[in-house]
RNA sequence: GGGAGCUUAGCUCAGCUGGUUCAGAGCAUCUGCCUUACAAGCAGAGGGUCACUGGUUCGAACCCAGUAGCUCCCA
């Protein structure tokens, strides 16, 4: 059968993926083997596959496939996250397109639509992962809002509440006016902004003017948010500020609404900033809130939940907050109350999901008491610092510690419908209990008020933060919270490796560690591999709006999954950002093609019995076999070292070079029979064996082509499919082969290139060496690779020749034609000059008493060797002249 | 404002506890080749004052200090 010149991935990929699936090779059940477990960072059901997923899941697949090949019981659990805010926004938008408003339908109706949406689109991303070759145990696919996982969430919430780790409280929280929900601090992204700083004057009241003996005047504050002045309750100055000391206790009027407010003093104030006067708006600023509490001031919330001016503001009612800012500035200007404006840079919080500008708002919400949590579970921090849980790269340990040490309470309630509803029930008086379900809640109420009936109770309307379910993921996917048989949980947990982006280190990684120690007393995983963020060539993040993100599925269609996997992995050491460039994926495709053609080559050879080939060929083939065996083991050791350090790109590069340089350019050329000649049976078998071994090394990285060719080598009947073959082991002994003689090949090629000679022109060579034997064994191979038609040793140097050094041995190539003697001489002279310079520095070192006295003996020995070698070389080069 | 990290070839990055036959890899570039496995290829070659300035040391890409630039995290 004729094989195509180019590797064609499409047919191959779907064929083998189906084969693996049909045979259940991805599936795992507990047995006596050592488990190796990864839980997928569950993608959002709203998500579609992007380059970040590609990187992330390729790495997981590499790890899981390698573990599987190493005989471990490999289990990669896939699944999806319900993504409360994102999904709710999607569904709201879809309903709006149909002319339905969320407020017009019931909660149950809305959830019906949401589930419908989830069932239709929620699994798309998992199907896309299959195209990549992800070897997840699809039988284990979980969803954060399915029944079992929801039960786990309730269970944990109730437990934490009863343990005093969750409380309901009224605090200042982050409000997303677009999503109309509160957010945790982690969901707020700070962005730098160019803002106007308005200097607004608050006129003194009559009373104050009288006391001061003035006819007019006021206090000027600097603010970027004039639209909140209707919520002002005081002006605050520093108690030591000489400019304002005398005004403390006096009153001023809030512009626009002319409400009277006091001037107070607090050392929180920064005298240098603005005018040194701060307008205190406790309802809309964290610091103002604190000042307000301290001075017992009222908090007037002047905004509605969607960011418009509330009735209680008394002016501009119904106007959007940003429109109001402009309007009020204009009006104040007209009234002469704006002294000046300045441009400043400040940072403004935005919603991670909706990108709306966050408002600070006082609200009654549910919180996790993090200080208490951390004091009860110190392992959460120490395990990472002590490397019981290893971060790769370790620089993220600092980031982790810093966050942990400054941790704030976690706001976990969201004013949404799509999510896990908070298991708290209220009676008509507003008392509440936390319970697993309504029946339990009713019982609890009845203990105090026996007459309570179910109709009196209503469940909290809010749902929990998405991450409140995600943090349980490594436990809950193995039903670790479920009563009864915990076979899976006991076997698979703790998991081995977690692969994720550093952007969710706090959202997810940290909280999984918390959940692990708090609910199971055990770490959730042993290693965390932080991938980089994928950027384009200009270092911009990939985003839909920039349009700089290629569609991964298009890439797979164009370059093949293996090619894409390789391209994306090659330049992605852990923690470094990946600058994506299509040329990398091309490189991946080209590599596939290279491997494919190596197979084509050997598939086309005619085979004969060993007796049919000459002894010379046999010996040459055997040497080549041993030589490649050495190269193979050396590379295998390096590849394992890369895995140990989680430097997957280095492992992959090691394989790349092993295959391309050592196997194809080296080994195959060595054993390749002359055109039209056959290959011996034993050599072909050795080649196939080596080929098969490199495919094994490659399989975790490029699963499809390695399976395809593995099957092809064994004519479709291998003992095992590649996916189950044993991964080559590190540290196996190998015979060291002295291949210094092979340098003759590159020297000759170089000479031909430099002289513009055809490779077809044969040369004879003369080597001056004390180790004749180490060259003799390679003669056949060298002759083949470099077109040499004669070898001689330690004879008279010919008159006309080209020369080179092989280590300290000399190589002469008789060359009858024109030689640019001057150029040759110059080349040698330059070499001598370099060596002399080198020798001088070595000599200087060796004659330095301090060096000899201080340096380690082996270093000195090395220097002496260098000196001897350099002297030897110089001697030879000089004598040649 | 606080913290962490980075700066090595045109690009992306390796360089472990300091020891110049280790300044390296891949890609890109250049030269010559359509040599019956592969032009998605083959054979070669040229690129670097290791950000800058000082210091420690017999010896610094590596350790220390300062300067400049960049990135990230947190407020």
């Amino acid at each position: 059968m004729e094989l195509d010149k180019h590797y064609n991935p499409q047919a191959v990929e779907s064929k083998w993926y189906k084969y693996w699936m049909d045979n259940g090779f991805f599936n795992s059940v507990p047995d006596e083997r050592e488990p190796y477990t990864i839980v997928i960072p569950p993608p959002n059901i709203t998500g579609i596959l992007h380059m970040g997923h590609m990187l992330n899941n390729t790495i997981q697949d590499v790890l899981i496939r390698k573990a599987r090949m190493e005989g471990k019981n490999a289990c990669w659990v896939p699944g999806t996250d319900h993504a409360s805010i994102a999904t709710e926004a999607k569904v709201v938008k879809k309903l709006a397109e149909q002319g339905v408003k969320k407020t017009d339908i019931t909660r149950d109706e809305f959830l019906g639509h949401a589930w419908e949406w989830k069932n239709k689109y929620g699994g798309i991303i998992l199907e896309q992962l299959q195209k990549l070759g992800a070897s997840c145990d699809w039988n284990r696919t979980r969803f954060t809002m399915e029944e079992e996982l929801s039960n786990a969430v309730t269970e944990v919430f109730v437990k934490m509440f009863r343990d005093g780790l969750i409380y309901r409280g009224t605090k200042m929280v982050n409000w997303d006016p677009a999503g109309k929900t509160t957010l945790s601090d982690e969901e707020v992204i700070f962005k730098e902004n160019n803002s106007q700083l308005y200097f607004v004057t608050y006129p003194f009241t009559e009373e104050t003017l009288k006391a001061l003996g003035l006819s007019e005047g006021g206090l000027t504050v600097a603010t970027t948010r004039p639209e909140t002045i209707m919520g002002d309750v005081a002006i605050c100055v520093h108690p030591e500020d000489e400019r304002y000391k005398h005004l403390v206790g006096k009153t001023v009027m809030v512009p626009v609404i002319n409400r009277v407010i006091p001037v107070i003093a607090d050392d929180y104030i920064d005298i240098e900033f603005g005018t040194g006067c701060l307008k205190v708006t406790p309802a809309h600023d964290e610091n103002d809130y604190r000042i307000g509490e301290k001075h017992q001031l009222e908090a007037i919330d002047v905004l509605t939940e969607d960011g418009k001016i509330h009735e209680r503001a008394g002016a501009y009612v119904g106007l959007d907050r940003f429109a109001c800012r402009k309007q009020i500035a204009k009006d104040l200007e007209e009234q002469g109350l704006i002294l000046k404006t300045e441009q400043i840079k400040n940072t403004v919080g935005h919603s991670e999901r909706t990108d709306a500008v966050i408002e600070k708002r006082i609200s009654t919400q549910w919180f996790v008491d993090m200080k208490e949590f951390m004091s009860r579970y110190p392992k959460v921090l120490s395990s990472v610092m002590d490397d019981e849980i290893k971060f790769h790269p370790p620089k993220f340990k600092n980031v982790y510690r810093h966050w942990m040490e400054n941790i704030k309470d976690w706001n976990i309630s969201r004013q949404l419908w799509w999510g896990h509803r908070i298991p708290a029930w209220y009676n008509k008086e507003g008392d509440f209990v936390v319970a697993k379900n309504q029946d339990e809640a009713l019982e609890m109420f009845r203990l105090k008020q026996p007459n309570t009936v179910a109709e009196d109770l209503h469940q909290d309307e809010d749902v929990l933060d998405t991450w409140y379910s995600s943090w349980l993921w490594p436990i809950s996917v193995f039903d670790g919270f479920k009563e009864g048989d915990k076979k899976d949980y006991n076997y698979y947990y703790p998991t081995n490796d977690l692969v994720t982006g550093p952007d969710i280190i706090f959202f997810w990684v940290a909280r999984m560690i918390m959940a692990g120690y708090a609910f199971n007393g055990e770490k959730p995983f042993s290693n965390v591999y932080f991938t980089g963020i994928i950027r384009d060539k200009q270092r911009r993040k990939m985003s839909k709006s920039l349009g700089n993100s290629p569609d991964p599925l298009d890439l797979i269609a164009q370059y093949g999954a293996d090619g894409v996997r390789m391209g994306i992995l090659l330049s992605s050491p852990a923690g470094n950002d990946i600058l994506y460039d299509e040329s990398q994926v091309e490189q991946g495709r080209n590599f596939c093609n290279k491997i494919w053609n190596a197979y084509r080559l050997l598939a086309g050879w005619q085979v004969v019995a060993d007796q049919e080939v000459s002894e010379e060929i046999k010996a040459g083939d055997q040497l080549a076999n041993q030589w490649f065996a050495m190269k193979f083991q050396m590379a295998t050791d390096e590849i394992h070292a890369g895995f140990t350090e989680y430097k997957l790109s280095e492992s992959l590069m090691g394989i790349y070079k092993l295959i391309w340089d050592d196997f194809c350019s080296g080994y195959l050329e060595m054993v390749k029979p002359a055109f039209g000649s056959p290959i011996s049976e034993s050599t072909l078998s050795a080649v196939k064996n080596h080929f098969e071994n490199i495919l094994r090394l490659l399989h975790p990285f490029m699963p499809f082509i390695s399976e395809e060719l593995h099957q092809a080598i064994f004519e479709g009947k291998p003992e095992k499919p590649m996916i189950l073959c044993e991964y080559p082991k590190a540290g196996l002994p190998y015979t060291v082969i002295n291949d210094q003689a092979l340098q003759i090949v590159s020297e000759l090629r170089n000479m031909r290139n430099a002289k513009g000679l055809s490779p077809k022109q044969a040369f004879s060579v003369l080597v001056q060496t004390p180790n004749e034997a180490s060259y003799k064994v390679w003669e056949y191979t060298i002759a083949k690779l470099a077109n040499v038609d004669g070898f001689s040793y330690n004879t008279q140097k010919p008159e006309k020749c080209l020369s080179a050094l092989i280590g300290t041995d000399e190589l002469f190539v008789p060359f009858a034609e024109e030689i640019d003697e001057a150029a040759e001489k110059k080349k040698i002279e330059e070499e001598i000059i370099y060596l002399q310079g080198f020798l001088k520095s070595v000599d200087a070192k060796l004659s330095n008493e301090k060096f000899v006295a201080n340096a380690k003996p082996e270093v000195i020995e090395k220097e002496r060797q260098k000196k001897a070698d350099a002297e030897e070389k110089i001697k030879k080069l000089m004598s040649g002249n």
Side-chain angles (χ1 to χ4, degrees), chain A residues 765-782:
Chain A
V765 297
L766 160 62
V767 185
Q768 309 286 31
T769 175
N771 296 312
E772 211 175 305
S774 67
Y775 288 85
K776 273 193 142 34
V777 294
W778 285 103
E779 280 184 9
Y780 165 78
T781 307
I782 292 168

Side-chain angles (χ1 to χ4, degrees), chain A residues 113-125:
Chain A
H113 289 293
W115 276 106
E116 198 181 301
W117 191 93
K118 187 265 167 188
N119 292 333
K120 197 162 168 193
Y121 303 108
I124 291 178
I125 194 160

Side-chain angles (χ1 to χ4, degrees), chain A residues 115 141-151 420 479:
Chain A
W115 276 106
T141 306
R142 306 305 291 259
F143 174 54
T144 49
M145 250 173 81
E146 67 180 61
E147 196 183 349
E148 294 295 350
L149 274 66
S150 299
N151 289 344
H420 303 97
D479 291 326

Side-chain angles (χ1 to χ4, degrees), chain A residues 518-538:
Chain A
F519 310 130
N520 295 76
E522 222 177 338
K523 61 184 175 184
F525 30 70
S526 301
N527 292 284
V528 184
Y529 180 114
F530 288 104
T531 65
I533 291 170
I534 304 211
R535 298 169 181 279
D536 67 7
K537 269 164 109 177
Q538 286 114 60

Side-chain angles (χ1 to χ4, degrees), chain A residues 568-579:
Chain A
I568 216 162
L569 267 186
L570 254 186
S571 59
S572 59
N576 275 20
D577 284 357
I578 290 94
L579 269 57

